[in-house]
Amino acid sequence: MKKIFLLILFVFTQLSNAVELFSYKLNENEKLEGNFSIVVNDKETCHFLFIKNTESKKYIVKAILLSSEKKIKQLDDLVLDVEPNFYTSHTNGDLLTISNYDEKKKMLTIIDFNMISGKSTSENLNDFKPDLYFKEKNKSFLVNLGKNDVYVQIITNSKSTQKKVFNIPESILKDYKDIKNATLPIEGINQSEFVKNGSINKFRAYITDNNLYFTSTKNDSQTGVIKFDFNSNLVENTIIDYNFNTTYMSRNTFINNDNLYAISSSENDIIIKSFNLINNKENAKLSVMSDLIEIIDKTAIQNFLSQSKVSNLVTTITLNKTTDNLYKVRVDRVNRNLYSYNYNWWWHHEFMMMQMQMMQMQQIRMSSMGRPGGFGPNNNFEEDLLMSLGKEKEYYYIEFVVDSNFVPQKNSTSETLFKNFNVDKLIKEFEDDSSIKKFAPAFLSNEVRYIYQNNKTKEILIDYKKL
């Protein structure tokens, strides 16, 4: 009897302590279009509800700030004429700044939420559609690819924006138009989060403190680099010749901190070179078998090299800054037929993900025209693509730490500034739960916070789980 009493008491205690973080019940004239979540800083998150008023046809955006102590603060509602299309977010002091693009009005709006008062303000920037977007801790960069010019909006907050205009020189115009008119558009690599593989597209974009870079893979020996200097407003074009002079199975590049890193992988070795993009000179060269054999686990190296002959695999290289101002180099592989780089994976859920998928379907269909394999459209094309997106297999990889001069650090235990989350694994239980829909997570270092709609009650809830 005593045990039963204690059990009842325990259950009662647990239930009484189960405090709901946030819940919202839709009115009869409201329809939930989507949710998403962002990390505000190391300990806080913000969760958004996109609600359509079926009578007025307006969209209401509810912003819910969740503090480090799990306290809820509801910020001002936003009322929009069209469905929200958020691009970037960053913070400056007490301000959370969001960029939103209205496709119907062709208008970019910068929205500030004061996280103390809850009030919001906004400013419109007409005739600016972002083709690329990057975020840093306290600012965002939005890039528009014009006919003969590149425009960059540098956003601190709604009252502090700066527009840069870069006129493309005649000598560079052909290379620029190849990028602008490419079937598979240029991809921006955002380094305000952990970059596991980066892009494998022919055309890529990177941003550093003072420069915007466009790269184009000329062939397996060269990469073209167009540099947009924020200080001088000059545009320069250069060709980086790798000069590996060795046999190879796969090659790739990556830019970090005004350096281009080129990798050449063969059956027997991995060669990495570093090129300074300020003076366009080679900085350093590393051979895994000659320079890193005492630093990287030998089994990890052999495992990686064992997959060199798999034809569909592409070698990737990324550098991520560590908490002690070093850099962790990751050499990995992806399947060229399945892999797709998506900046900020959990940013692109629900409506954003669907927009990307539809765009990718069109792009891949267009790029597939003329290839052997049959005539006419593939009736299962959309299904095949949707099934393949996000199902990239994990392959063998190696990691090591270098300093700013690309000198390897022996016995380093450095951790990356941004954590490498296995998002697919972490959210699987939520995806498998039929009672959850419109799920949108935000990952802190030790927990995941998320907003979702209960499929049975239709309530919108915010909760969290320890990692």
Side-chain angles (χ1 to χ4, degrees):
M1 179 64 73
K2 185 177 181 181
K3 289 182 178 180
I4 295 174
F5 174 77
L6 289 174
L7 178 62
I8 293 172
L9 180 63
F10 173 78
V11 173
F12 176 79
T13 303
Q14 295 303 305
L15 290 173
S16 63
N17 288 337
V19 180
E20 203 170 66
L21 292 181
F22 173 84
S23 66
Y24 180 81
K25 191 168 184 178
L26 296 168
N27 296 321
E28 288 186 3
N29 62 347
E30 292 181 332
K31 179 187 176 184
L32 182 69
E33 297 292 335
N35 299 316
F36 78 90
S37 304
I38 60 173
V39 174
V40 174
N41 52 47
D42 294 339
K43 297 180 179 179
E44 295 182 303
T45 54
C46 195
H47 308 268
F48 295 83
L49 296 73
F50 298 101
I51 298 171
K52 184 176 183 179
N53 187 300
T54 55
E55 295 175 356
S56 67
K57 307 302 180 184
K58 301 280 188 180
Y59 290 85
I60 295 91
V61 178
K62 292 185 177 293
I64 313 299
L65 189 67
L66 185 57
S67 74
S68 57
E69 295 84 18
K70 311 289 191 308
K71 293 182 179 178
I72 289 290
K73 185 178 184 66
Q74 190 159 340
L75 309 180
D76 269 2
D77 287 354
L78 297 177
V79 180
L80 305 174
D81 292 328
V82 297
E83 189 171 7
N85 191 11
F86 287 9
Y87 276 78
T88 61
S89 72
H90 67 265
T91 57
N92 252 315
D94 297 332
L95 289 182
L96 169 61
T97 300
I98 304 282
S99 61
N100 178 73
Y101 183 71
D102 186 329
E103 185 71 45
K104 186 176 181 181
K105 294 182 179 179
K106 307 296 181 187
M107 183 167 62
L108 178 68
T109 301
I110 310 304
I111 306 161
D112 290 334
F113 290 99
N114 188 303
M115 294 183 288
I116 301 300
S117 68
K119 300 298 181 184
S120 65
T121 56
S122 64
E123 290 289 334
N124 295 325
L125 303 176
N126 294 321
D127 300 321
F128 190 96
K129 180 179 181 179
D131 294 305
L132 296 165
Y133 51 97
F134 305 86
K135 60 167 285 188
E136 292 186 355
K137 187 174 182 180
N138 57 2
K139 66 178 69 172
S140 294
F141 298 82
L142 304 177
V143 181
N144 172 262
L145 306 181
K147 183 178 181 182
N148 298 316
D149 306 280
V150 169
Y151 306 91
V152 181
Q153 286 282 0
I154 304 175
I155 300 164
T156 303
N157 55 57
S158 64
K159 304 299 181 184
S160 179
T161 63
Q162 182 183 15
K163 187 176 183 179
K164 294 277 187 180
V165 180
F166 294 94
N167 304 117
I168 308 297
E170 186 69 31
S171 59
I172 305 176
L173 205 52
K174 182 181 182 305
D175 288 335
Y176 169 69
K177 289 193 173 182
D178 286 345
I179 293 172
K180 175 179 168 56
N181 300 322
T183 303
L184 290 175
I186 185 170
E187 286 189 325
I189 316 306
N190 276 270
Q191 298 181 56
S192 59
E193 61 182 21
F194 185 88
V195 184
K196 181 182 175 184
N197 298 110
S199 172
I200 60 172
N201 268 17
K202 180 178 180 179
F203 303 112
R204 310 169 197 177
Y206 303 82
I207 208 154
T208 64
D209 288 341
N210 299 308
N211 298 293
L212 168 68
Y213 293 100
F214 290 172
T215 68
S216 59
T217 304
K218 299 296 183 181
N219 49 54
D220 283 347
S221 300
Q222 294 179 325
T223 290
V225 180
I226 302 178
K227 180 173 73 175
F228 303 85
D229 190 315
F230 292 146
N231 293 324
S232 66
N233 284 354
L234 293 177
V235 184
E236 298 176 354
N237 189 30
T238 189
I239 299 292
I240 300 295
D241 196 323
Y242 311 147
N243 289 319
F244 280 120
N245 300 320
T246 56
T247 58
Y248 67 94
M249 305 298 293
S250 179
R251 286 180 177 170
N252 213 330
T253 61
F254 186 78
I255 288 179
N256 180 284
N257 198 28
D258 296 307
N259 289 292
L260 181 141
Y261 299 90
I263 185 169
S264 180
S265 174
S266 69
E267 295 178 58
N268 305 312
D269 200 1
I270 303 158
I271 309 293
I272 304 171
K273 286 189 176 185
S274 167
F275 298 88
N276 186 309
L277 293 177
I278 304 302
N279 58 28
N280 298 323
K281 293 182 178 180
E282 183 179 320
N283 280 336
K285 175 184 175 181
L286 291 176
S287 159
V288 167
M289 299 307 291
S290 300
D291 304 308
L292 300 172
I293 197 69
E294 300 300 325
I295 293 177
I296 304 174
D297 178 75
K298 292 181 178 62
T299 302
I301 294 174
Q302 292 305 318
N303 285 340
F304 184 86
L305 293 175
S306 70
Q307 295 181 325
S308 298
K309 288 187 176 181
V310 182
S311 61
N312 288 333
L313 297 189
V314 178
T315 301
T316 63
I317 180 172
T318 60
L319 278 81
N320 289 276
K321 197 167 187 179
T322 65
T323 54
D324 51 355
N325 290 316
L326 298 172
Y327 297 89
K328 181 166 281 189
V329 181
R330 182 183 178 98
V331 177
D332 202 346
R333 298 188 196 275
V334 295
N335 187 319
R336 71 174 79 245
N337 297 326
L338 298 180
Y339 177 74
S340 174
Y341 169 76
N342 288 325
Y343 157 53
N344 205 342
W345 186 94
W346 48 93
W347 184 278
H348 293 273
H349 45 66
E350 293 298 335
F351 68 94
M352 285 294 285
M353 179 59 81
M354 285 306 299
Q355 288 177 1
M356 289 186 63
Q357 288 174 346
M358 293 305 295
M359 183 175 67
Q360 287 171 328
M361 288 175 192
Q362 182 180 6
Q363 291 163 355
I364 296 175
R365 183 187 288 110
M366 291 175 65
S367 65
S368 298
M369 290 179 179
R371 293 180 183 174
F375 299 92
N378 176 3
N379 293 331
N380 298 320
F381 180 84
E382 283 81 2
E383 289 183 16
D384 292 345
L385 179 62
L386 287 171
M387 288 296 289
S388 69
L389 287 173
K391 289 193 174 183
E392 172 66 8
K393 181 183 174 182
E394 294 287 327
Y395 298 99
Y396 290 119
Y397 67 90
I398 57 175
E399 289 183 328
F400 59 96
V401 176
V402 297
D403 64 12
S404 58
N405 295 315
F406 208 57
V407 176
Q409 306 296 293
K410 196 169 184 178
N411 300 322
S412 174
T413 57
S414 299
E415 295 293 329
T416 53
L417 192 61
F418 301 107
K419 194 170 180 179
N420 179 16
F421 293 106
N422 188 335
V423 178
D424 291 333
K425 182 179 179 181
L426 291 172
I427 69 168
K428 189 176 187 309
E429 66 175 279
F430 301 102
E431 290 183 326
D432 293 342
D433 189 339
S434 60
S435 68
I436 291 177
K437 63 184 293 188
K438 300 189 185 300
F439 173 77
F443 294 91
L444 299 178
S445 60
N446 61 348
E447 67 184 24
V448 56
R449 297 175 173 189
Y450 51 91
I451 184 171
Y452 68 97
Q453 185 176 32
N454 186 298
N455 206 19
K456 297 175 182 177
T457 66
K458 305 305 178 185
E459 279 186 297
I460 298 96
L461 305 165
I462 294 176
D463 210 335
Y464 74 100
K465 178 185 178 181
K466 291 290 183 182
L467 296 177

